[in-house]
Amino acid sequence: MTMAKTMEPTRRSSSMKRTRRWQTALHYLILTVVALFFFLPVYYLIVGSFRPSSEVLSGLSGFVPTNLSFDNYAGVFDHLNSDATGYFGQFALVSIIVTTAVVAGSLIVNSMAAYSFARMKWRGKKVLFLLVIILTIIPFEAVALPLYYMFSGQRDTVVIQAIPFIANAFSIFLFYTFFLDVPGEIEEAARLDGAGPFRTFFQVIVPITKPAFATVAILTFLAQWGSYLWPVLMVSDPTARPLPLAISIFQNQQPPEWGQVLAFGTMFIVPVLAVFLIFQRWFVASISSSAIKG
Amino acid sequence: MTIPKSRRTAGIIAAAAAVSVAALSLTGCGGPDTGNAGPSVEAGSGEGTINVWAVDGQAAENDALKKIISNFETSQNKIKVNLKLFPSDQYTKAVNSAAPGDLPDVLDFDGPTLASFVYNGKMAPLKGSVSGETLSNQTDSIKAQNTVDGAVYGVGMMNAGLALWGNKKLLDSAGVTYPTTPEEAWTAEEFTGVLDKLAAVVPGGKPLDLSEQYGFAGEWGTCCSAGPVIWSGGGTMLKDNKAVGALDSDANVKSLTTLASWKKYTDPNADGLAFPNGRVALSWVGHWTYPTYKALGSDLVSIPLPNFGKGTKTASGTFAWGMGATSKNGTASGKFLDFLMSDESVRIYTDANGAPPATKTALSASSLYGPGKQLQLLGDQLSKACGPEEQITETCVSVTRPVTAGYPIVTDQVGKAEAAIYSGKDAKEALSAAARAIDQNFADNDGYRK
Amino acid sequence: MTTQTQKIPSPAAAPAKRQSSAILTGHRFAGPLFASPALIGLAIFLVAPFVLAVVLSFYRVQLNSPRPARFIGFEQYTRLFTDPDLSAAFGQALLNNFTFALIVVPVQTVLALGLAVLVNRKLRGMVVFRTFIFMPLVFPLALTAVIWRLIYSRGDEGLLNAILGLFSGGALSSHDWLGSPSTALGSIIVMSIWQSVSFQMIIVLAALQSVPTELYEAASLDRANKWQQFINVTVPGIRNTLIFVALITTIFSFRLFDQVYLLSRSGSVDRGSTETVMTQIINTGFDNNNVGQAAAMTVIFMLIITVIAIIQRAAVRQRGGV
């Protein structure tokens, strides 16, 4: 990721240099096309959010930044202006609370379980760990319906949006692979210092396995922030509504307020995008380590 | 592996199973508490706060509703209203998923879902809570929609009307003359010819808007797109509570195939602006676009939907208001409903969305509906009510959607079939599959009889 | 652990006989204690609902209905396999899932590899290109579906149609990407790839960078050209990673829900051509309120996923992989 120039050997035939240059130009061309494919929808979202709804769907001119204004943003806040409709800030807060709770809870609970499986000796451990491994293949979607059936009494609460996602078999597995690599001498030293299992774990192990925590935090965050299926089933009340459920309000207008949909979407994604740009290096590192460990 | 170890394994699995069983019993495996005790509304003190649920609709509708509520709160000082709005795609699910005890005192509901809500014990009859005047002031078609097993469960501020909105300038430039009364409606063949002519004068060559953006696979398809086509072609969705032999009839196959043949003339209208921007000459949609469409001024004309053989047909019925089955404040809720149905409230609301008023006095005072007024056609269509499907005649126009607790499966399957046919699937196949699915569901529920 | 041949003793009676672990003297309960919050969570929110799905699949039960559940044995299953409509619809949904997997797994794995190779060169401005490629990763599917719905919009005002019209000089235009059965699933596939391929790319990129440079040097001494180096050094070097990528993509393919649910309920889309098992389960359970049948579908779906996972694990192990 550094900007370092490739080292050009000084003595080369000019024809080789020319091929080189052609190759590089071609490389840039392909890169540009590819980057456009990934970036154009993002650009379209952001530019569209500043344009009148009537011009969002207008062929190629949808890309042209004309008639820019904050009207769509004003429109979103204007629509969500009372307790009856709920507020944008309220939906965002629900999303933030739920995501934070899941990320924090899953870091604590799953790392402890993984540590226990990786480093402690106790009866039944092997069988239970095998069960956990088996559970990694059950997708949440497959149990959504019976889970709804079990907890329909807790509809419209913030807690029920978070709690089913805290314990996660795959996160346990990821932590497990990291903890296996911790040298035994470190724990031994902690034990000789008189540390119990809690102190050993939280004061000795956690600090030296930070990358594991970053990985699980980022993967959990990505899965949770846009969570859609479970809230659709469990939430209707504006006080417990997370951001993804509110998008359709603007789509249902007459005529559809596509500009407001995009403005809402932009506000939904830009903070995440900003965090992502700042921590891009970590993002990449943690995703790659999930594969190497997994 | 030694024997003792595996025995221990068995013990652990048993323990895990015990945990899950305990979890089940803790959370009440019975699922949503449907409360078999039956609806019981308490009259209550007649004051305090009442909870109200409604659809988060068009911005203008929301504002009108809030205005009415604030008028209500200033008109008296004993009852406060706590309003909650839900996105329309999630509203019916919200009511469906709520246990009767969690429902609010007053709630909005879509006409055809009422029978299923009543069947599931979610609604309370209004007699005794709402005044006799309010009930007798309801127009007949709305009263019919809100009556289940002889009891009235809802009152409505508005009805719904469907039409082909026409752009007079474009129609004239194509030399198309258009009908203005239901009796003169274009036949389906004539309509195809009209589309051919119009295709030449509109910019994109697609002169028709069928409101595709609402999604045929939802309520729009059943109520307002496939429904009128089916009824106008002499078919029905159900006959004697069965769909096989009704929905899959040859008449329906023919009508819906004709509808699908117009896809090539149809603008997808994803931006909802095809008509006001002049991309299309004809727009098949409901009254609710009037506030947007009226920008065309005197170029806006309303035309009956095409006649597929048995006269033009539209759907009647729309969102109305009822009471949650276990309201503890029936008197106050009734007072609020009375206020909602007052001429002033109905005027504010229907001005906001262009709907035909559903109370007799407000309808006669309407500035849009009635002889010589701009939306006369929509009002006339509603007054020529057919009642439910089985009573359709050639001359009646507005049809009430099937009143059955099994409506959710009917609308799901009819909408899905229409979308499939429209995208090119064989109509007979799609309709037969839908009919069998509906009948299977009815059979599973003993025909939704009590 | 195998020393006790008698009845399982109560935990209190055991300590004297057991060698305390080297690591945790005097903390016999620490292990289970550490593991229990997660295990209880998994038991309540994953195991119990699955058990409940099995139970419900033997009943005729409607959502939120006053009718009591009625035990009907295996009827839901026999219906799913013998009723011509149901089995056709369920089969179609399964087929859509498999088609999706069959296309997405190889395509996305190859694309991930191609992209990783593309961005693995040290060129000026590469950071910017990479950032653009990563961006969709943070997009929730609920938002992605809305944006792509607009892009795929039928008629000339849709972005994709407009772009194609421009490049083909107007010859190609106005295709109904989501509405026509032949392109509906393909459109969803492209959208899914847009959203998630950079995840796989990052994984492959990390693997690429861990291939020892000496291998390339040796290869170039053998006068292997770039392509030969790629086939003979790069691909074998990252084989395990590619298998891992294919594995997680397969699992994603079967979980397909959000984008299909959101896109197939818009416009004039024919649901049959895009329905997946997951959307069908939700449709059956929540739109048709038929909980019993949705539960039976869940159970079958789980069995299929389990079989696939077992086959994959076995295949990987046989090749000496992960």
Side-chain angles (χ1 to χ4, degrees), chain A residues 54 57 79 81-82 84-85 123-124 127 148-152 155 236-237 241 245 248-249 252-256 258, chain B residues 8-9 12 27 31-32 56-59 62 66 83-90 94 97 214 270-273 289:
Chain A
S54 56
L57 267 173
H79 188 103
N81 65 354
S82 64
T85 49
R123 266 203 264 167
V127 181
Y148 163 85
Y149 214 67
M150 283 165 64
F151 291 99
S152 57
R155 272 179 62 82
S236 34
D237 196 298
R241 187 180 297 151
L245 287 195
S248 64
I249 294 172
N252 295 333
Q253 294 301 306
Q254 176 54 52
W258 289 116
Chain B
R8 208 173 298 133
T9 309
I12 287 155
T27 52
D56 193 339
Q58 300 183 41
N62 289 357
K66 285 173 191 163
L83 174 70
K84 268 179 189 164
L85 297 170
F86 302 80
S88 58
D89 55 323
Q90 293 152 32
S97 310
Y214 298 140
D271 57 359
L273 295 169
T289 54

Side-chain angles (χ1 to χ4, degrees), chain C residues 88-101:
Chain C
F90 191 59
Q92 179 67 50
L94 271 175
L95 184 71
N96 286 342
N97 270 122
F98 275 103
T99 313
F100 187 91

Side-chain angles (χ1 to χ4, degrees), chain A residues 44 47-68 72 256 258-259 262, chain B residues 271 273 277 279, chain C residues 157 159:
Chain A
Y44 178 59
V47 168
S49 75
F50 292 104
R51 303 190 65 206
S53 284
S54 56
E55 294 175 20
V56 167
L57 267 173
S58 48
L60 289 176
S61 61
F63 285 124
V64 187
T66 50
N67 293 334
L68 302 182
N72 293 322
W258 289 116
L262 298 184
Chain B
D271 57 359
L273 295 169
N277 284 358
R279 291 207 306 272
Chain C
E157 69 268 34
L159 269 187

